[in-house]
Amino acid sequence: VRFNPDEESYPGTPWRIHQALVALTSLIGPQPSASMIFTEEQLALVNSGMDGLIADMTRSYGTHPADPMALAILIKAHASKGEFARAKELVAFSGQLSNSAHPSLEAARGLFLLKSGNPQSAVKSLEVAKQALPLDTFVRLDLIAALTAIGDTARVAEETDELRAIGFRSGIS
């Protein structure tokens, strides 16, 4: 299955695969290639949900991965499931890594802070991540959510305009 995140529709793509692609992209963020190729096994993993993702990442990288991308995915997955104690443990561990300033880790910390009820601190982490990853729409969407949570409507409007300027389309009309 080929997936191009810049396309708005996927003619002939079964709905379950479309849902899997959207779920995968929301978990791991944009990929360096404009085109991604997935095996049936990878799609099955995405369809297994957060629990399947966490189990697979833990099997592949261990409970405390040193790889910043893998650790960021685990933090986001646990935070998205509301498993804040585990996400907090991984966030604390991420600070011990030599590459703790990795922008994907900063974005994951921001999402954890947002989901766990600390939007003001989330804004700070997400702004740092946005500086390093200016085209990452997921970082920008999380930043908009954090700004909305603190009631900064002027910044929400600015960030939304910037998001549209870089070509983001929500697919909702």
Side-chain angles (χ1 to χ4, degrees):
V1 174
R2 287 194 173 273
F3 172 60
N4 183 339
D6 297 326
E7 293 179 12
E8 291 185 38
S9 65
Y10 312 97
T13 302
W15 179 243
R16 74 171 184 83
I17 293 176
H18 178 78
Q19 287 179 306
L21 295 170
V22 170
L24 178 66
T25 304
S26 70
L27 289 172
I28 65 171
Q31 297 301 295
S33 170
S35 178
M36 295 182 274
I37 299 173
F38 298 102
T39 65
E40 284 298 320
E41 293 81 20
Q42 290 168 322
L43 287 174
L45 173 62
V46 171
N47 286 328
S48 71
M50 293 288 185
D51 291 328
L53 175 69
I54 291 168
D56 186 68
M57 293 298 292
T58 302
R59 240 186 337 271
S60 298
Y61 294 95
T63 58
H64 291 81
D67 178 273
M69 295 296 290
L71 184 56
I73 291 168
L74 279 175
I75 292 168
K76 289 179 180 182
H78 284 291
S80 294
K81 282 188 66 181
E83 296 175 350
F84 301 124
R86 178 66 177 136
K88 183 177 182 179
E89 176 189 330
L90 292 170
V91 166
F93 174 73
S94 73
Q96 299 170 19
L97 297 179
S98 61
N99 53 358
S100 64
H102 193 283
S104 293
L105 285 175
E106 203 61 56
R109 289 183 201 110
L111 180 65
F112 162 71
L113 291 165
L114 175 62
K115 297 267 187 190
S116 64
N118 192 346
Q120 190 70 44
S121 294
V123 167
K124 292 175 185 170
S125 285
L126 292 165
E127 285 175 335
V128 169
K130 178 188 155 193
Q131 291 301 313
L133 303 167
L135 300 179
D136 187 324
T137 55
F138 296 103
V139 170
R140 288 175 174 268
L141 289 169
D142 291 342
L143 178 57
I144 289 169
L147 291 167
T148 300
I150 64 172
D152 192 339
T153 55
R155 287 280 314 282
V156 168
E158 288 173 24
E159 291 296 332
T160 302
D161 288 344
E162 281 187 28
L163 193 56
R164 287 185 184 124
I166 64 169
F168 177 76
R169 291 174 219 71
S170 66
I172 300 171
S173 51

